[in-house]
Amino acid sequence: MPLCPCQVSPSLAFLTTPVTYSDCCQPYHDGIDRVDGAKANDAERLMRTRYSAFVLLKVGYIVATTVPAQQDLLDVDAIESWAKETDWAGLDIIQHTPNLGKRHAQVEFKAFYTTSEGTQAHHELSTFVRITDKSASENKERWYFLDPTVAMTMSQKQPCICGSGEKFKRCCGVYI
Ligand code: ZN
Ligand code: ZN
């Protein structure tokens, strides 16, 4: 069984407990369209499943785990060709801040990739927001990625894109 892409870490010489894809990110990828599918219960888990989705070209998962108000604004073709052209080499989670205010979290990570000049890293700090689906009877909360590269054409006084009811500038606008 292949290792899950998110479990490959260039900074670790070996893993004590290898985790296969089917025991790690696959249930999240396979369940994204199902109400009863596996859901990331924190931002680090979502970050890992998104990294694996980039490696395995599961662009639908990347879109579905971005905050809903941004999904239609994503350049899916660009995401797909970037993911395809990148020679992924592993992931290091550097720091997970699970609670940032009422509904945000941040994950600092390095996503490694190989070029002709050797292994390089995207070193990023990503922000995630927890959204409550008021129409759902159970499984109400879900974490989403807030994409800072998506240009949001909205006034700072509008209600936030995450549906929290707060003003954008006091909520997700702090992070994007
Ligand atoms: Zn994984
Ligand atoms: Zn918000």
Side-chain angles (χ1 to χ4, degrees):
M1 289 294 283
L3 263 186
C4 190
C6 86
Q7 299 290 327
V8 177
S9 168
S11 67
L12 298 175
F14 60 90
L15 287 161
T16 47
T17 44
V19 182
T20 60
Y21 176 57
S22 58
D23 286 337
C24 190
C25 292
Q26 187 172 25
Y28 300 91
H29 293 169
D30 290 353
I32 189 64
D33 295 326
R34 299 202 320 264
V35 179
D36 62 345
K39 277 192 312 186
N41 60 8
D42 63 28
E44 179 180 343
R45 177 38 58 190
L46 184 60
M47 170 63 228
R48 287 185 172 280
T49 59
R50 283 176 53 92
Y51 170 80
S52 293
F54 276 113
V55 177
L56 300 170
L57 298 177
K58 296 191 177 284
V59 180
Y61 187 84
I62 299 296
V63 173
T65 54
T66 302
V67 71
Q70 291 185 318
Q71 290 179 4
D72 287 346
L73 302 168
L74 295 173
D75 186 342
V76 176
D77 291 341
I79 293 171
E80 184 159 21
S81 47
W82 178 71
K84 207 179 279 180
E85 284 156 19
T86 304
D87 186 5
W88 299 99
L91 176 71
D92 273 352
I93 303 289
I94 294 166
Q95 195 174 12
H96 173 207
T97 308
N99 292 299
L100 206 62
K102 274 183 260 178
R103 60 185 67 83
H104 294 93
Q106 282 181 325
V107 180
E108 182 186 358
F109 65 94
K110 284 185 181 174
F112 295 90
Y113 58 100
T114 307
T115 69
S116 53
E117 281 142 44
T119 302
Q120 322 240 4
H122 299 290
H123 186 178
E124 283 178 37
L125 179 65
S126 287
T127 305
F128 299 84
V129 60
R130 190 175 57 223
I131 296 182
T132 306
D133 180 354
K134 296 176 185 80
S135 65
S137 55
E138 52 186 305
N139 266 357
K140 286 179 182 168
E141 290 188 334
R142 192 181 272 277
W143 284 95
Y144 291 92
F145 173 61
L146 274 171
D147 193 333
T149 69
V150 173
M152 302 295 298
T153 51
M154 62 184 305
S155 106
Q156 296 282 303
K157 289 186 178 166
Q158 271 177 273
C160 193
I161 54 170
C162 74
S164 65
E166 293 190 36
K167 289 194 173 65
F168 177 65
K169 68 174 179 185
R170 294 228 191 118
C171 190
C172 297
V174 173
Y175 306 105
I176 57 177

